[in-house]
Amino acid sequence: MLNPFRPVVLFDFDGTLADTIPLIVESYHHTLRASALPPVDEVEVRSWIGRPLQPVFEERYPGRGAELTATYRDWNLAHHDELIVRVDGMPQLLKQLVHKGVRVGVVSSKRRSTVEQGLRVVALAEYIDVLAGMDETTAHKLIRLRCCSRPRCSRSILRSASTSVMQTSTCWRRRPPGWRR
């Protein structure tokens, strides 16, 4: 069993551990083309990133959320491994954290299986102690990531890390300090 007194650092997957933005943007563009919907510019598509798919599609295209989500996921998974890359410096940072006894976790609005696949592709899976995907909690990741200062939210990832909210030391939603693209 993990030591319950070790600190935990939580990371978002997309844009923090892996550069998945080209994959996400192209998945949205493909979905709209394949569904005979008018194109949307990249700025708007990028504003959807990080939110759960079906609510985004339902908001924009009422009654078509499930259909568009299925189209998106099919294309995204088929092109996933070729269109994502590891963010520079992350293996070294994660290795340092683990070496110092820090548990590392990932929270994502993606399904757990997709995040696990991504972690394997970018060769970071070995550093991750705990993972919470959208299919494991009712709270969206943006709420879960606020757990550092809001004890009442998302205890699920912390329970699986054998820790408490007050022991969670850091949550990085986007880029760690000093990160450069």
Side-chain angles (χ1 to χ4, degrees), residues 6-71:
R6 286 177 39 211
V8 176
V9 177
L10 304 176
F11 291 88
D12 183 20
F13 181 73
D14 295 311
T16 303
L17 298 177
D19 182 0
T20 57
I21 305 307
L23 170 67
I24 294 169
V25 169
E26 193 50 41
S27 296
Y28 275 115
H29 286 311
H30 166 80
T31 300
L32 300 180
R33 280 191 309 270
S35 303
L37 292 167
V40 175
D41 68 55
E42 187 170 330
V43 172
E44 183 170 359
V45 168
R46 283 175 173 257
S47 75
W48 301 339
I49 294 174
R51 295 177 54 205
L53 290 172
Q54 192 156 339
V56 168
F57 284 129
E58 279 298 332
E59 182 181 292
R60 177 81 187 206
Y61 310 100
R64 297 191 69 186
E67 163 206 347
L68 296 172
T69 297
T71 302

Side-chain angles (χ1 to χ4, degrees), residues 117-138:
Q117 178 180 349
L119 288 168
R120 284 190 301 274
V121 169
V122 297
L124 297 176
E126 68 183 282
Y127 303 110
I128 307 305
D129 292 315
V130 63
L131 190 155
M134 63 149 309
D135 47 342
E136 297 176 295
T137 178
T138 57

Side-chain angles (χ1 to χ4, degrees), residues 5-180:
F5 300 105
R6 286 177 39 211
V8 176
V9 177
L10 304 176
F11 291 88
D12 183 20
F13 181 73
D14 295 311
T16 303
L17 298 177
D19 182 0
T20 57
I21 305 307
L23 170 67
I24 294 169
V25 169
E26 193 50 41
S27 296
Y28 275 115
H29 286 311
H30 166 80
T31 300
L32 300 180
R33 280 191 309 270
S35 303
L37 292 167
V40 175
D41 68 55
E42 187 170 330
V43 172
E44 183 170 359
V45 168
R46 283 175 173 257
S47 75
W48 301 339
I49 294 174
R51 295 177 54 205
L53 290 172
Q54 192 156 339
V56 168
F57 284 129
E58 279 298 332
E59 182 181 292
R60 177 81 187 206
Y61 310 100
R64 297 191 69 186
E67 163 206 347
L68 296 172
T69 297
T71 302
Y72 176 104
R73 284 196 175 126
D74 288 345
W75 194 91
N76 182 284
L77 290 173
H79 297 86
H80 183 272
D81 294 2
E82 69 196 61
L83 292 178
I84 72 168
V85 294
R86 179 177 55 217
V87 170
D88 289 339
M90 289 313 292
Q92 296 86 348
L93 175 62
L94 297 180
K95 187 175 184 177
Q96 287 174 354
L97 289 170
V98 169
H99 179 73
K100 292 181 182 211
V102 174
R103 284 173 289 173
V104 178
V106 177
V107 290
S108 180
S109 61
K110 291 184 174 195
R111 290 180 176 174
R112 178 186 189 92
S113 60
T114 306
V115 177
E116 289 173 334
Q117 178 180 349
L119 288 168
R120 284 190 301 274
V121 169
V122 297
L124 297 176
E126 68 183 282
Y127 303 110
I128 307 305
D129 292 315
V130 63
L131 190 155
M134 63 149 309
D135 47 342
E136 297 176 295
T137 178
T138 57
H140 180 264
K141 74 172 179 187
L142 296 177
I143 295 168
R144 291 192 313 262
L145 281 172
R146 292 188 185 108
C147 64
C148 297
S149 59
R150 295 179 54 197
R152 70 179 184 275
C153 66
S154 186
R155 298 182 192 277
S156 64
I157 189 170
L158 300 171
R159 268 195 301 271
S160 62
S162 298
T163 190
S164 72
V165 175
M166 300 314 289
Q167 293 167 327
T168 305
S169 56
T170 306
C171 294
W172 282 330
R173 180 164 171 264
R174 284 290 173 231
R175 297 176 184 99
W179 180 85
R180 287 185 213 127

